[in-house]
Amino acid sequence: MKVVICPTAEHTTALTARVIEQALRQKPDIVLGLATGRTMEAVYAHLVTSHRQAGLDFGRCRTFNLDEYAGIAPSSARSYRTYMDEHLFSRVNISRRATHVPDGSADDIVAQCAEYEDAIRASGGVGLQLLGLGENGHIGFNEPFSAFTSRTRLVTLDPATRQQNVGMFDDDLTQVPYHAITMGIATILDARRTVMVVNGKAKAEMLARVIEGPMTASISATALQMHADCLIIADEAAAGALSRRAYIAHLMQHDPELRALLS
Ligand code: GLP
């Protein structure tokens, strides 16, 4: 696990977009694992700007999103499919065929989850997986107690998650689904690279547990401690509860990979 702390949320999202951009330029047919949530909106805005102003080409890449609400049709304004269309897919040169988001309205969710896993595998696997952090420590919608060996499946959302995402549902909690489809933790750990971006004071305590705490199924993101190529990009506010700040600063200064990233 490598950790970069940036002064502000603007810096973290710009740096995250730069990491994705570099990966895409290096391997134009890369398979990207994508995430949703407010934090990602700025990341995608940067990628759209790079596409428009610097010719960043999405024409050969394929994408797999982490998750989707269950019981919500892809065409719904509240689906993560619509979120992705609005923030990224409709603004860059990627064909719909190359993008994958679980279908929350599928009749046979179990079969669809298995197909999603098969499609990821058939694509050659995710090269770079983008991740946000839920306030309860989830990655994707892997809520507390999710097995580290879990795969794409139907999950029941934590009340804290429903509350955290109520903004997407006109602040009406009754509209927030109780279930979702998510890549599993093992699915996420299969990605060759993982990049997690975390902003804001509200996630500071959780981020400290993710980075410094013991691995536990109660905090899904602690599974990233097992990932061989995991980069965490946090703003100062989110890094506020870390106890190993001096060590992280030392690594940022002397680790060759981090130095290259920050130069
Ligand atoms: C949702 C998504 C997560 C995401 C989280 C963070 O719960 N399922 O994948 O990481 O939101 O959201 P935000 O960036 O809005 O804090």
Side-chain angles (χ1 to χ4, degrees):
M1 193 176 254
K2 296 198 175 180
V3 181
V4 167
I5 300 171
C6 301
T8 67
E10 283 70 44
H11 291 88
T12 62
T13 51
L15 182 62
T16 304
R18 189 144 58 84
V19 170
I20 298 168
E21 175 166 355
Q22 280 169 0
L24 191 51
R25 288 197 192 275
Q26 213 173 0
K27 191 175 182 334
D29 63 348
I30 192 170
V31 177
L32 294 172
L34 298 177
T36 50
R38 276 151 300 190
T39 313
M40 298 306 158
E41 292 178 14
V43 175
Y44 296 140
H46 282 292
L47 290 176
V48 170
T49 302
S50 295
H51 168 68
R52 290 186 179 155
Q53 295 177 5
L56 183 63
D57 183 13
F58 289 80
R60 290 176 58 202
C61 79
R62 285 152 298 160
T63 68
F64 286 89
N65 264 76
L66 282 168
D67 47 17
E68 177 62 283
Y69 290 107
I72 290 208
S75 58
S76 160
R78 284 144 171 190
S79 73
Y80 279 164
R81 159 58 75 179
T82 299
Y83 169 107
M84 290 308 302
D85 286 345
E86 283 176 1
H87 291 285
L88 187 67
F89 299 154
S90 69
R91 295 168 187 239
V92 298
N93 63 324
I94 193 164
S95 75
R96 193 181 169 94
R97 269 184 305 116
T99 68
H100 304 82
V101 183
D103 180 349
S105 65
D107 288 333
D108 187 341
I109 298 263
V110 174
Q112 203 229 172
C113 291
E115 281 162 22
Y116 205 69
E117 288 280 330
D118 289 345
I120 294 172
R121 222 168 288 127
S123 76
V126 172
L128 188 155
Q129 176 68 56
L130 183 59
L131 297 166
L133 179 66
E135 284 172 28
N136 67 352
H138 74 203
I139 44 177
F141 272 136
N142 289 287
E143 301 292 42
F145 310 159
S146 290
F148 286 179
T149 51
S150 56
R151 292 278 163 190
T152 304
R153 68 204 188 286
L154 185 73
V155 292
T156 302
L157 297 175
D158 180 343
T161 298
R162 293 183 67 246
Q163 187 61 52
Q164 195 192 327
N165 289 311
V166 73
M168 268 186 78
F169 294 86
D170 301 325
D171 289 323
D172 179 359
L173 194 59
T174 66
Q175 300 292 312
V176 184
Y178 280 87
H179 302 99
I181 297 169
T182 183
M183 279 187 199
I185 295 176
T187 320
I188 293 169
L189 293 179
D190 277 349
R192 282 182 274 283
R193 290 175 73 188
T194 51
V195 179
M196 185 162 82
V197 51
V198 187
N199 292 328
K201 198 167 174 249
K203 295 181 184 173
E205 292 295 332
M206 190 48 78
L207 184 63
R209 295 169 78 177
V210 168
I211 295 172
E212 296 175 344
M215 274 177 24
T216 167
S218 293
I219 301 174
S220 295
T222 60
L224 293 170
Q225 293 177 16
M226 284 196 294
H227 194 275
D229 192 347
C230 173
L231 175 66
I232 297 187
I233 303 176
D235 71 357
E236 282 289 349
L242 290 167
S243 65
R244 307 292 302 273
R245 283 298 296 269
Y247 176 54
I248 291 170
H250 170 84
L251 293 174
M252 283 170 66
Q253 212 181 338
H254 298 288
D255 180 279
E257 190 190 324
L258 296 183
R259 281 178 68 115
L261 183 70
L262 296 170
S263 63

